[in-house]
Amino acid sequence: SWMELSDYIPAVLCGVNDIKDVKRNVCAAGHKAMYNRNWGGLPDKEFLQRLAPEMADLHDRLYQEAYTLDTTAGKLNVEWAEKFGLPEGIPVAVGGIDAHVGAIGSGIGKDVLVKIIGTSTCDIMVYPNDGTLEDIPGVAGIVDGSVLPGYIGIEAGQSAVGDIFNWFIARVLKKDDAHHAELSRQAAELKAGQSGLMALDWNNGNRNVLADHNLTGLLVGQTLHTTDYEIYRALIEATAFGARKIIQRMEEYGVRIDKVVNCGGIAEKNPLAMQIYANILNRPMEVAYSAQTVALGAAILGAAVGFKEEEGFESVEAIQKRICHTKEQVYTPHPEEGRTYDRLYGIYEKLHDGLGVKNSGVDMSGVMKELLEVKRMVAGLG
């Protein structure tokens, strides 16, 4: 058969020995195995046969039901209770994908976007499952119950963010991690558009909204005067423009975003990136209070299944309201920078569609000259 690790570990902790008794989490089942209760669960054998006969043969040895993250997988058995020093028989929640659980620990809820920003990004939204949600072309997954019970989980993201910055530092400049701080200090002195550069954040392909791993990175506008810190800033800006494209796509299909909460290494350690994101997205960037949002989300889910055993039942959302907060510092947009970035985003969209969308008909012949125009404008020469 086949089992996700996020299903295997709870089963081991509970002493489940028969694979038919393992409770599968809908988070992994939906986003990774195309499980959907509305079409009978997993893809049918005919569909799998067309992909690979071996997968069709596997179908009958899989599962018919998958569960939301507030479901009890079983009770902690004596072996693992002794190893952990915990009481035997306490409830264990079903597993989930790390980013989705981290979104819970970051306080995700209605109209709240959680951005997990590290080596790559994962963007998580929820939408009430009693509403009408259109299919959203280009996102990574739409799964009922994959994050919060009672909500449809929406997942998108970028296949490289911090990895792009690290590539430039380590591979191109041959520097160590300490050089991030120096380049950030120099790049922070630049205004939006001052470098005359524009990059595409596709160094590891485009995850969303183009979903094309054969796309590659790009840097436009270099001259003999271009510096390393200008390129570093352009790479940060490129990832922020990619994030704006994802948000734009969600909103085009009726997903309302009133608040953005960020977590992960970049959110915790890179104030320059957070300020650039605020300016490009034209939204305040809040940062989750906990530096370990995945662990906190897991603890919230553990508490939820624990409370189910008691008379004082608390939902996941009720526990979140008590526990999930954001840091005091909020990165607020700078209006003047935002106006320049709005113009630069138009250039980004030309490159995005012209190079990423087949037969787009986009004329990119003026891109380099327009970047120079913005550069002269920022310098007060245009």
Side-chain angles (χ1 to χ4, degrees), residues 96-137:
I97 298 173
D98 53 358
H100 301 67
V101 175
I104 292 173
S106 299
I108 195 167
K110 187 175 181 292
D111 304 331
V112 177
L113 169 65
V114 172
K115 291 184 62 63
I116 300 99
I117 313 177
T119 54
S120 60
T121 71
C122 196
D123 296 342
I124 304 291
M125 282 290 300
V126 295
Y127 190 92
N129 64 6
D130 58 356
T132 301
L133 176 64
E134 293 185 63
D135 192 20
I136 307 172

Side-chain angles (χ1 to χ4, degrees), residues 149-329:
Y151 292 86
I152 298 167
I154 306 168
E155 177 191 357
Q158 294 159 272
S159 53
V161 175
D163 274 346
I164 298 177
F165 314 153
N166 288 332
W167 158 80
F168 183 62
I169 295 287
R171 292 286 186 113
V172 179
L173 301 181
K174 307 295 184 184
K175 301 286 188 177
D176 59 25
D177 286 348
H179 201 57
H180 283 281
E182 176 61 19
L183 288 189
S184 293
R185 183 188 66 78
Q186 293 174 296
E189 297 176 1
L190 296 170
K191 295 180 180 179
Q194 186 175 342
S195 69
L197 298 175
M198 174 67 66
L200 289 177
D201 55 317
W202 301 346
N203 296 49
N204 198 29
N206 179 285
R207 184 182 179 201
N208 304 120
V209 299
L210 299 174
D212 189 343
H213 67 274
N214 287 316
L215 296 172
T216 55
L218 179 73
L219 184 65
V220 180
Q222 301 165 81
T223 71
L224 294 178
H225 300 287
T226 298
T227 64
D228 55 359
Y229 60 87
E230 288 175 327
I231 295 174
Y232 187 74
R233 181 175 177 119
L235 295 174
I236 295 174
E237 290 169 341
T239 66
F241 286 134
R244 178 166 168 169
K245 174 62 72 173
I246 291 171
I247 288 175
Q248 181 181 358
R249 176 58 58 89
M250 288 186 183
E251 289 185 325
E252 285 172 352
Y253 285 83
V255 178
R256 178 171 174 167
I257 301 173
D258 289 339
K259 179 178 180 179
V260 181
V261 178
N262 302 272
C263 63
I266 300 295
E268 288 283 331
K269 301 175 183 177
N270 197 324
L272 173 63
M274 286 294 92
Q275 187 59 58
I276 289 174
Y277 271 57
N279 295 341
I280 288 178
L281 301 183
N282 193 29
R283 299 166 184 269
M285 293 290 106
E286 299 186 43
V287 179
Y289 187 81
S290 172
Q292 300 292 339
T293 54
V294 179
L296 180 59
I300 290 170
L301 295 170
V305 297
F307 280 123
K308 281 187 175 181
E309 305 289 317
E310 307 292 336
E311 291 183 4
F313 169 75
E314 272 196 294
S315 67
V316 173
E317 291 179 272
I319 301 170
Q320 283 181 296
K321 287 179 181 178
R322 289 194 292 106
I323 292 175
C324 299
H325 309 286
T326 56
K327 296 184 188 297
E328 185 175 340
Q329 181 179 11

